[in-house]
Amino acid sequence: MIATTARPPSKLAASLRGLIGCCPNCGRGRLLRNYLKPVDRCSVCGEAFGHLRADDAPPWMTILIVGHIVIPALLAVEQAYEPPTWVHMAVWPLLSLLLTLALLPRCKGFILGLLWSTGAPGSERG
């Protein structure tokens, strides 16, 4: 059975639902079926998401966030403790990788929720 909502959620609500990986429409179904692959339709409300294309926005957003976390932390640690170079080479790339892997699907969900809430067609068909 396909559930319908009386009013579509706001852009903020849809984006935040996407951020946590839920359907931007109902907030109960999943938005991503694998690490980054969006579902074709919500399993709860039936809303279609297969046509939405986030393209380069999620990686861009991820790089922006990770860079704003890692670089100030690196500079603060260097000024406060002056660790050897091998510590920097061990800690910062690993932290960057972990943050990137954790944030990328959340950024994609955020962008898909925002695209859905604006009614963007997202289709690559001409």
Side-chain angles (χ1 to χ4, degrees):
M1 181 170 151
I2 296 177
T4 59
T5 56
R7 279 186 18 201
S10 68
K11 289 176 182 48
L12 178 63
S15 299
L16 292 178
R17 286 176 180 174
L19 181 72
I20 61 173
C22 295
C23 169
N25 186 36
C26 67
R28 294 185 307 256
R30 292 180 52 106
L31 183 58
L32 302 174
R33 71 171 167 237
N34 291 331
Y35 182 65
L36 291 175
K37 184 72 174 168
V39 297
D40 291 329
R41 295 193 164 277
C42 175
S43 61
V44 177
C45 69
E47 187 68 33
F49 300 113
H51 66 285
L52 295 175
R53 302 285 181 258
D55 293 333
D56 293 337
W60 172 83
M61 185 184 295
T62 303
I63 291 168
L64 184 73
I65 294 169
V66 170
H68 279 82
I69 293 171
V70 172
I71 298 301
L74 183 149
L75 293 173
V77 168
E78 176 61 31
Q79 284 193 343
Y81 303 109
E82 297 181 19
T85 304
W86 70 267
V87 172
H88 285 300
M89 297 304 287
V91 171
W92 304 115
L94 181 61
L95 179 62
S96 297
L97 177 66
L98 293 175
L99 282 172
T100 300
L101 292 175
L103 289 174
L104 188 56
R106 283 145 187 86
C107 289
K108 179 150 188 177
F110 180 85
I111 295 297
L112 288 175
L114 185 62
L115 284 171
W116 175 84
S117 70
T118 61
S123 177
E124 293 178 351
R125 287 177 248 148

